[in-house]
Amino acid sequence: MVWPVKSRADSRLGVQLFSCYRVGIPIATEVTQNPDVVVSVALTWITELCGATRLGYFGRSQFYIALKLVAVAQSGFPLRVESINTVKDLPLPRFVASKNEQESRHAASYSSDSENPGSYSGVIPPPPGRGQVKKGSVSHDAVQPRTSSEQQEPASPVVSPQQSPPSSPHTWRKHSRHPSGGNSERPLAGPGPFWSPFGEAQSGPSAGDAVWSGHSPPPPQENWDQTTVRTVASATTANEIRRQSSSYDDPWKITDEQRQYYVNQFKTIQPDLNGFIPGSAAKEFFTKSKLPILELSHIWELSDFDKDGALTLDEFCAAFHLVVARKNGYDLPEKLPESLMPKLIDLEDSTDAGDQPGEVGYSGSPAEAPPSKSPSMPSLNQTWPELNQSSEQWETFSERSSSSQTLTQFDSNIAPADPDTAIVHPVPIRMTPSRIHMQEMELKRAVSDHNNPTSPLLVKPPDLSEENKMNSSVKFASGNTVADGYSSSDSFTSDPEQIGNNVTRQRSHSGPSPDNTAPPPPPPRPQPSHSRSSSLDMNRTFAVTTGQQQAAVVAHPPAVPPRPQPSQAPGPVVHRPVDTEGLTAHTSTSPQQIPEQPNFADFSQFEVFAASSVNEEQDDEAEKHPEALPVSPVEKSTDPAGALRGAKTESKTEEKTAASAPASASKGTTPLAPPPKPVRRRLKSEDELRPDVDEHTPKTGVLAAALASQPAIPRSVGKDKKAIQASIRRNKETNTVLARLNSELQQQLKDVLEERISLEVQLEQLRPFSHL
Amino acid sequence: MAVCIAVIAKENYPLYIRSIPTENELKFHYMVHTSLDVVDEKISALGKALVDQRELYLGLLYPTEDHKVYGYVTNSKVKFVMVVDSSNTALRDNEIRSMFRKLHNSYTDVMCNPFYNPGDRIHSRAFDSTVTSMMTQVC
């Protein structure tokens, strides 16, 4: 309805009238003191129609409706709600100012109006714009309620809220007042204490005005209406009016002013906008609002999203808003309105706008990545574990290292297996046969030190049992076998063991990383190491061995070097931490091994030489020799392989070392000593055995026999054998490599499982309750 | 499928009790009350107060012909008692445990509310909703 602008006086009157009315129905009744019973009845009826009766006071809308009804009545139309709408051209209701102060004036006017139904002088509230002027005229005192009400009324038109409301009754809703006389002066007692905190900070009213304008509230009277409203703790009223008049407004939305107010309040409790307000402080603060504890408890439940017992800025604003709303009569929602969701808190607030994308839709994603609460919002991180509990738990804000964040981080940080331990099983380099041979030779060299009683198969076991240092001795032996195999000429692939050893070595060699993480190099390694350092070992063996051996050794050392060389690559050796000893030995021997290659020929010499000495020691070294022999030739042939070879040899040496180391570790240095001997001997016999290698079976016994039996096999034959042996060796190596890889992988698997278990334990510890 | 869920305080007075069949509530109240003895017995039997979920979950306290009563005690000696209908397909132990876990979580949320004084009756709507979900779901 369009109300014509009234004169100021009229407006004032209207305001006064309204303020009078605002007081409550009784006042209205009072105003109409005029004896016109009919009028009184009419007024009563009107108040009922407009809903004031229900509310207990005249809200803006009620007032408007009431005025309309008055107009209707004055126009003689039946008092019906519909009449308001149907009768379009209602003249403005006329009110005659009463003589008394506002009320009396109102009463008078009213009464006069009532008396003159039809005559309205029309205190038509000026249009909203004018209303402001009116407001000025109105001096309301209820700043507090106003502010509060304004705060919560986004659309609160009451702008000049700052102005103390007129002496009109500022009564909280339900203010059931009474005699006109006192209303106006009635200050807001109730809300006072509570609202004081809200205080004056609020500039809600101004916002309200704007909103009002936006609302285009029905009659201009609204303006002063609002002032009155303001004055009255009619936040509710305003809300209601708002609700009625502005359906497009989300009642739960927090306006900028309100938000600013809330932020200021937050600061009084917690200077850091990103901090939390602990529950106790919040409790005290909100208790001041004089809401029942039950309601406060419910408000808390709604607003504390992450259930951490503390309020972030957003949560605080939401809680405050809810308190204000509740104070104004709004019922608390069962669920937090979206506009109050932490992330979404002020859509209009530019600062918040960017905030939280994250928070959006939290309802169910406790695990959401830290929602971006408004920058000022502290994020309640700690609640991560609690977040798990309910769908309403919101992730903390990104700014904060929310527990959720931490938690998420935690989740994502599940310690991966160390890169070192990461199964990096580099596939062993597929050494060329020559390399393999070289390695084998190295291994054999190393192994030669070890006894070679074990069959070549031992080589594999060592690989597998690398982790198990149990078989150190076996490995040792296997290493020996390998070495023996190596020692035997290439053709003598005699040994699957050798090959295996080689392979093993290669593996160890090739898989440096796995080696690192892989279980300690197998015992066999030590042997290789020994063998590598065949020179060293040799030296040792020299020292240890008998004179004959020494002689042989002396002869052999030159042959030995070549083998170590290929296996020199300390790299792979290094990988085997266990192999340290052996490795060094390996390295030392490796260089030697390489030279062995050139010594290939030497082997032949050695063969001859060895033959002489071998006979004596064949038993022991026979196996080794064959290994050594092939190793040396292998090494020699694979010289070009260079690094690889070196690596391989290292691996071999490692293997040997591993074998030897564990063996040595487990057995002390003694095993080392013997291995060198065998190695040497192998070397010796290698030459001798080379031709025999081909014929040698993996069995050491056979080797020995072969050694004994074939010292003089021509090389050609040996070459064929070598080829076969080489292939056999290669296969063995491959097998050992794979076996080693397997073992390493298994070890890594174990490690990972252990990690997993530990993490699970930690997880359980972290969630003692939720776990429950 | 709990037909009755009760939260008993440390001093053995109820903080919250709710049953589905609104009639015969007194019977459930009585059952809960008597189950407290069993709970105390189990607690004392445990001896060392290990903070272990297994210990928190007491399991079947005692069965009756119609109902089975399960118990759960928190670290603060707040007891949750759940009465389930025997006619329901036997609920697996894990389900009961998970229900207690949820209850415990909800209870924790209630405790986190600064406006809640420990020892008061629980009026939290969130807690109510949790309990309702458990009771309706169960039934």
Side-chain angles (χ1 to χ4, degrees):
Chain A
M1 29 188 199
V2 179
W3 295 82
V5 175
K6 290 185 185 175
S7 65
R8 280 207 183 200
D10 290 341
S11 301
R12 241 193 333 265
L13 196 58
V15 172
Q16 292 169 348
L17 182 61
F18 182 77
S19 62
C20 166
Y21 274 82
R22 187 61 189 82
V23 178
I25 297 174
I27 298 204
T29 312
E30 212 173 275
V31 168
T32 67
Q33 269 179 5
N34 272 320
D36 192 330
V37 177
V38 175
V39 173
S40 303
V41 171
L43 282 174
T44 307
W45 181 238
I46 288 174
T47 52
E48 282 180 12
L49 280 179
C50 69
T53 309
R54 173 177 59 83
L55 294 171
Y57 56 84
F58 280 83
R60 174 179 48 166
S61 52
Q62 282 75 36
F63 193 80
Y64 298 152
I65 297 174
L67 291 175
K68 273 213 150 186
L69 288 171
V70 167
V72 167
Q74 288 179 346
S75 307
F77 291 100
L79 282 181
R80 293 268 191 289
V81 177
E82 298 73 21
S83 56
I84 294 178
N85 299 326
T86 53
V87 181
K88 299 293 182 176
D89 297 331
L90 283 175
L92 295 176
R94 279 173 299 130
F95 299 91
V96 176
S98 63
K99 311 180 276 277
N100 310 337
E101 343 173 0
Q102 299 176 341
E103 289 86 4
S104 52
R105 258 180 308 157
H106 296 175
S109 60
Y110 196 78
S111 52
S112 60
D113 283 347
S114 61
E115 290 169 356
N116 310 310
S119 64
Y120 290 102
S121 48
V123 180
I124 296 178
R130 307 255 319 253
Q132 297 188 8
V133 175
K134 293 307 185 283
K135 288 177 193 168
S137 66
V138 178
S139 57
H140 292 275
D141 311 43
V143 175
Q144 292 172 347
R146 229 186 350 195
T147 50
S148 57
S149 61
E150 287 160 355
Q151 288 167 11
Q152 52 160 329
E153 306 170 26
S156 154
V158 250
V159 176
S160 6
Q162 300 310 341
Q163 308 166 11
S164 53
S167 51
S168 57
H170 312 319
T171 52
W172 283 105
R173 55 180 198 247
K174 314 289 180 192
H175 166 56
S176 60
R177 219 313 313 208
H178 41 237
S180 47
N183 295 340
S184 50
E185 281 89 28
R186 173 149 330 176
L188 298 168
F194 178 49
W195 298 108
S196 50
F198 291 160
E200 307 48 32
Q202 197 43 3
S203 60
S206 39
D209 272 341
V211 178
W212 268 109
S213 308
H215 287 298
S216 59
Q221 284 173 354
E222 283 183 14
N223 294 327
W224 40 265
D225 209 29
Q226 291 187 353
T227 43
T228 21
V229 169
R230 271 190 279 154
T231 57
V232 174
S234 49
T236 347
T237 318
N239 288 338
E240 287 169 334
I241 292 175
R242 208 169 349 130
R243 275 184 299 206
Q244 296 165 2
S245 59
S246 57
S247 56
Y248 54 82
D249 257 0
D250 175 9
W252 298 111
K253 199 185 293 187
I254 300 181
T255 61
D256 288 340
E257 297 79 14
Q258 289 174 339
R259 180 158 182 82
Q260 189 54 43
Y261 183 76
Y262 299 155
V263 172
N264 292 338
Q265 289 300 312
F266 183 92
K267 282 184 190 160
T268 62
I269 305 176
Q270 164 68 280
D272 176 17
L273 288 182
N274 287 328
F276 295 103
I277 289 187
S280 52
K283 177 178 178 178
E284 290 171 21
F285 181 81
F286 287 111
T287 306
K288 287 190 252 177
S289 69
K290 303 213 187 300
L291 283 179
I293 293 289
L294 196 57
E295 298 192 6
L296 289 173
S297 177
H298 185 61
I299 288 174
W300 177 276
E301 272 182 16
L302 290 176
S303 57
D304 187 4
F305 294 123
D306 40 18
K307 301 282 184 279
D308 62 350
L311 295 180
T312 65
L313 182 59
D314 275 345
E315 292 175 346
F316 176 82
C317 292
F320 208 139
H321 199 64
L322 285 169
V323 168
V324 166
R326 184 76 186 116
K327 288 221 80 113
N328 288 307
Y330 280 109
D331 287 332
L332 291 177
E334 284 301 320
K335 299 235 165 177
L336 193 66
E338 284 192 6
S339 53
L340 293 181
M341 297 293 194
K343 53 180 177 127
L344 295 181
I345 284 220
D346 263 351
L347 295 181
E348 27 188 81
D349 191 335
S350 59
T351 58
D352 294 339
D355 296 329
Q356 312 49 73
E359 289 258 298
V360 173
Y362 277 131
S363 46
S365 48
E368 266 312 324
S372 44
K373 275 190 179 180
S374 56
S376 58
M377 284 224 238
S379 57
L380 299 176
N381 306 318
Q382 29 294 59
T383 56
W384 203 91
E386 294 156 355
L387 287 174
N388 293 333
Q389 302 167 0
S390 77
S391 61
E392 274 187 300
Q393 293 169 350
W394 299 83
E395 275 308 318
T396 56
F397 302 130
S398 48
E399 285 91 18
R400 299 199 150 220
S401 52
S402 47
S403 59
S404 61
Q405 283 181 349
T406 49
L407 194 53
T408 53
Q409 291 169 359
F410 172 76
D411 287 340
S412 56
N413 285 346
I414 293 198
D418 338 324
D420 288 341
T421 56
I423 299 184
V424 183
H425 276 290
V427 175
I429 298 173
R430 288 301 170 215
M431 310 276 294
T432 60
S434 61
R435 283 190 195 153
I436 292 176
H437 290 318
M438 289 303 297
Q439 291 185 355
E440 287 177 353
M441 287 172 67
E442 293 174 7
L443 285 173
K444 287 175 186 174
R445 291 268 170 126
V447 175
S448 63
D449 294 340
H450 307 291
N451 300 322
N452 197 12
T454 60
S455 65
L457 296 176
L458 289 177
V459 175
K460 289 171 192 169
D463 292 340
L464 298 175
S465 59
E466 285 180 359
E467 295 72 7
N468 315 328
K469 302 195 179 174
M470 326 264 314
N471 306 334
S472 56
S473 57
V474 173
K475 292 178 186 175
F476 188 84
S478 61
N480 291 337
T481 56
V482 173
D484 290 342
Y486 279 95
S487 55
S488 53
S489 62
D490 294 349
S491 55
F492 294 171
T493 357
S494 52
D495 330 335
E497 348 166 320
Q498 294 172 358
I499 293 175
N501 286 343
N502 293 337
V503 172
T504 307
R505 291 177 199 140
Q506 289 176 4
R507 232 180 80 200
S508 57
H509 173 65
S510 56
S513 46
D515 292 348
N516 295 336
T517 62
R525 305 271 178 80
Q527 293 177 0
S529 62
H530 290 295
S531 61
R532 280 211 203 157
S533 49
S534 58
S535 58
L536 296 180
D537 294 337
M538 298 295 287
N539 293 333
R540 280 186 227 163
T541 53
F542 265 115
V544 179
T545 57
T546 61
Q548 290 177 348
Q549 293 174 351
Q550 290 177 356
V553 171
V554 172
H556 289 297
V560 174
R563 259 192 265 144
Q565 283 178 1
S567 59
Q568 311 172 328
V573 173
V574 173
H575 294 301
R576 302 273 175 98
V578 181
D579 300 347
T580 48
E581 292 182 12
L583 291 178
T584 48
H586 281 290
T587 51
S588 61
T589 54
S590 58
Q592 294 175 356
Q593 290 178 2
I594 292 178
E596 281 178 23
Q597 293 171 2
N599 293 339
F600 187 83
D602 296 341
F603 278 107
S604 55
Q605 296 173 2
F606 286 131
E607 284 177 2
V608 176
F609 188 85
S612 60
S613 56
V614 167
N615 296 329
E616 302 174 31
E617 302 146 9
Q618 273 183 356
D619 295 342
D620 298 335
E621 302 168 356
E623 299 159 0
K624 299 173 189 172
H625 289 302
E627 292 178 356
L629 287 175
V631 169
S632 50
V634 171
E635 292 176 351
K636 291 175 187 173
S637 58
T638 56
D639 252 347
L644 280 179
R645 228 173 343 111
K648 287 183 186 173
T649 53
E650 286 183 3
S651 61
K652 292 181 202 170
T653 53
E654 289 177 41
E655 292 172 1
K656 291 181 185 174
T657 310
S660 58
S664 58
S666 60
K667 309 201 172 184
T669 56
T670 52
L672 294 180
K677 291 181 190 176
V679 170
R680 271 181 300 115
R681 294 192 181 169
R682 278 198 203 145
L683 291 175
K684 292 179 194 173
S685 58
E686 276 180 5
D687 297 343
E688 297 174 353
L689 293 175
R690 274 203 197 129
D692 300 338
V693 169
D694 296 341
E695 300 171 0
H696 278 314
T697 63
K699 301 171 187 175
T700 57
V702 174
L703 287 176
L707 282 174
S709 62
Q710 300 175 2
I713 292 178
R715 289 274 175 184
S716 57
V717 175
K719 283 186 182 175
D720 292 340
K721 293 179 183 175
K722 284 182 193 176
I724 296 171
Q725 287 174 355
S727 60
I728 294 174
R729 203 175 299 137
R730 254 169 290 160
N731 293 335
K732 281 188 189 174
E733 286 173 353
T734 308
N735 289 341
T736 51
V737 167
L738 290 172
R740 179 163 297 172
L741 271 176
N742 183 27
S743 58
E744 289 171 353
L745 282 166
Q746 286 179 357
Q747 184 63 30
Q748 290 187 7
L749 175 65
K750 285 186 210 170
D751 294 339
V752 169
L753 285 174
E754 285 177 7
E755 287 177 12
R756 179 188 159 198
I757 290 171
S758 67
L759 284 172
E760 285 178 358
V761 168
Q762 288 178 16
L763 191 62
E764 293 233 356
Q765 289 171 358
L766 286 174
R767 300 190 304 183
F769 287 102
S770 60
H771 183 58
L772 296 173
Chain B
M1 316 220 221
V3 295
C4 173
I5 289 180
V7 178
I8 316 292
K10 182 173 168 186
E11 292 81 12
N12 287 339
Y13 61 85
L15 295 176
Y16 180 90
I17 183 164
R18 202 156 128 220
S19 14
I20 281 261
T22 47
E23 77 286 347
N24 226 4
E25 272 197 35
L26 195 59
K27 185 181 87 174
F28 290 121
H29 290 208
Y30 178 70
M31 285 172 77
V32 169
H33 186 75
T34 54
S35 67
L36 291 178
D37 285 334
V38 185
V39 170
D40 284 340
E41 176 192 339
K42 284 193 187 259
I43 292 178
S44 58
L46 288 180
K48 38 201 173 167
L50 303 173
V51 183
D52 186 344
Q53 186 200 355
R54 280 189 296 282
E55 299 193 1
L56 295 177
Y57 173 69
L58 303 173
L60 182 66
L61 296 177
Y62 69 89
T64 62
E65 49 186 291
D66 293 333
H67 304 282
K68 296 204 266 277
V69 184
Y70 292 91
Y72 181 97
V73 64
T74 69
N75 296 332
S76 53
K77 297 291 180 255
V78 171
K79 306 159 188 74
F80 298 122
V81 175
M82 188 187 312
V83 180
V84 304
D85 203 0
S86 294
S87 58
N88 281 325
T89 48
L91 284 175
R92 279 195 301 277
D93 199 48
N94 284 339
E95 295 174 14
I96 305 283
R97 279 178 196 266
S98 70
M99 287 163 70
F100 274 127
R101 202 175 302 128
K102 279 190 260 179
L103 261 183
H104 199 158
N105 290 340
S106 293
Y107 178 72
T108 308
D109 290 342
V110 169
M111 294 297 284
C112 282
N113 190 330
F115 297 103
Y116 170 78
N117 299 318
D120 290 351
R121 294 192 63 94
I122 295 176
H123 296 285
S124 157
R125 301 185 206 180
F127 190 79
D128 281 345
S129 64
T130 302
V131 169
T132 308
S133 70
M134 288 170 55
M135 296 177 84
T136 50
Q137 143 209 343
V138 173
C139 285

